[in-house]
Amino acid sequence: AQTVTQSQPEMSVQEAETVTLSCTYDTSESDYYLFWYKQPPSRQMILVIRQEAYKQQNATENRFSVNFQKAAKSFSLKISDSQLGDAAMYFCAYSGGGSQGNLIFGKGTKLSVKP
Amino acid sequence: DAEITQSPRHKITETGRQVTLACHQTWNHNNMFWYRQDLGHGLRLIHYSYGVQDTNKGEVSDGYSVSRSNTEDLPLTLESAASSQTSVYFCASSEVLAGEGDTQYFGPGTRLTVL
């Protein structure tokens, strides 16, 4: 069975600095998708970024980028120029290529941003 | 704009009562999902549906049921509410696109308290 592990329950970053959130996963599939979701205090789950495993190029969305290491089964999220609004829970999630979208989530990392 | 809504947003009920949480999406997505979120566990899949009349059990399905009579709605029923079912419940929907996988869109969540 696939698993997703986020080893950092909490992280802290200074405003305008860069922070990296870690995620590792375990799977025997070769085709799959990885996601980072943000959950602010409002509880709304917001998609931050998505990566297709067959793409070697790391996904980027404005200040958010990933470091996808397929062989190491690692999928870290880098947030550049951190802003106060980035403070939230961040969840890493996995979806198998043949699973029609079932997501397996990590337990989350709580990010605090200090002014 | 397309959206996914949940009702009620907050619910307090008593042990043993039947409770139904509503989920309605206007994305016209075939896939719909129910998750529960608990501290220390991230989000865990309860039930999911790939289309009308299709339902499947997820990781933590005991005590829950769903039915899918149309594309837009997937209500979640707790047959006999237990205190262990106190949680925040999220509904999500997605559409798998050939060669692109899918992205799940989440509702705002329902906080359920069972006394």
Side-chain angles (χ1 to χ4, degrees):
Chain A
Q2 294 85 7
T3 59
V4 177
T5 302
Q6 294 179 248
S7 59
Q8 307 152 315
E10 295 187 22
M11 292 281 286
S12 180
V13 64
Q14 204 72 31
E15 195 176 5
E17 297 294 310
T18 296
V19 65
T20 299
L21 308 184
S22 300
C23 174
T24 59
Y25 58 94
D26 187 26
T27 183
S28 58
E29 298 176 311
S30 58
D31 182 24
Y32 51 88
Y33 303 86
L34 297 163
F35 305 82
W36 279 99
Y37 280 88
K38 170 185 178 181
Q39 187 180 42
S42 67
R43 285 206 316 249
Q44 181 71 50
M45 293 289 287
I46 303 165
L47 178 70
V48 175
I49 202 164
R50 187 184 89 163
Q51 175 79 43
E52 293 88 347
Y54 63 86
K55 290 186 177 179
Q56 293 187 350
Q57 186 173 5
N58 290 324
T60 299
E61 287 289 342
N62 300 314
R63 297 182 293 106
F64 298 86
S65 62
V66 299
N67 183 7
F68 173 49
Q69 301 289 328
K70 190 172 184 178
K73 297 179 182 175
S74 171
F75 183 60
S76 61
L77 175 70
K78 185 172 82 171
I79 306 174
S80 304
D81 186 26
S82 296
Q83 301 176 359
L84 295 178
D86 295 334
M89 283 290 290
Y90 287 83
F91 292 95
C92 179
Y94 168 100
S95 175
S99 67
Q100 285 192 264
N102 291 1
L103 284 176
I104 299 170
F105 285 87
K107 294 183 178 182
T109 296
K110 183 178 181 180
L111 178 66
S112 301
V113 181
K114 297 179 179 179
Chain B
D1 288 344
E3 61 178 356
I4 180 166
T5 57
Q6 294 182 234
S7 62
R9 295 294 310 277
H10 299 87
K11 174 78 175 177
I12 300 174
T13 191
E14 296 177 343
T15 301
R17 289 190 179 269
Q18 182 181 80
V19 177
T20 297
L21 308 182
C23 175
H24 179 80
Q25 54 100 359
T26 59
W27 292 96
N28 201 34
H29 286 162
N30 281 321
N31 304 336
M32 295 185 72
F33 308 85
W34 273 104
Y35 296 89
R36 61 177 288 174
Q37 183 178 24
D38 305 288
L39 280 174
H41 288 281
L43 279 79
R44 292 180 292 174
L45 185 63
I46 305 172
H47 280 286
Y48 57 100
S49 169
Y50 291 153
V52 176
Q53 302 300 331
D54 176 76
T55 60
N56 306 278
K57 294 181 178 180
E59 177 188 357
V60 290
S61 62
D62 287 349
Y64 303 94
S65 64
V66 294
S67 63
R68 186 92 179 269
S69 59
N70 59 52
T71 300
E72 297 79 18
D73 299 289
L74 186 70
L76 177 71
T77 297
L78 287 69
E79 302 294 343
S80 177
S83 58
S84 60
Q85 294 177 307
T86 293
S87 186
V88 178
Y89 292 85
F90 286 95
C91 180
S93 72
S94 72
E95 192 68 48
V96 178
L97 302 175
E100 296 185 12
D102 72 293
T103 295
Q104 288 193 19
Y105 296 89
F106 283 80
T110 294
R111 181 178 293 278
L112 176 67
T113 301
V114 183
L115 301 177

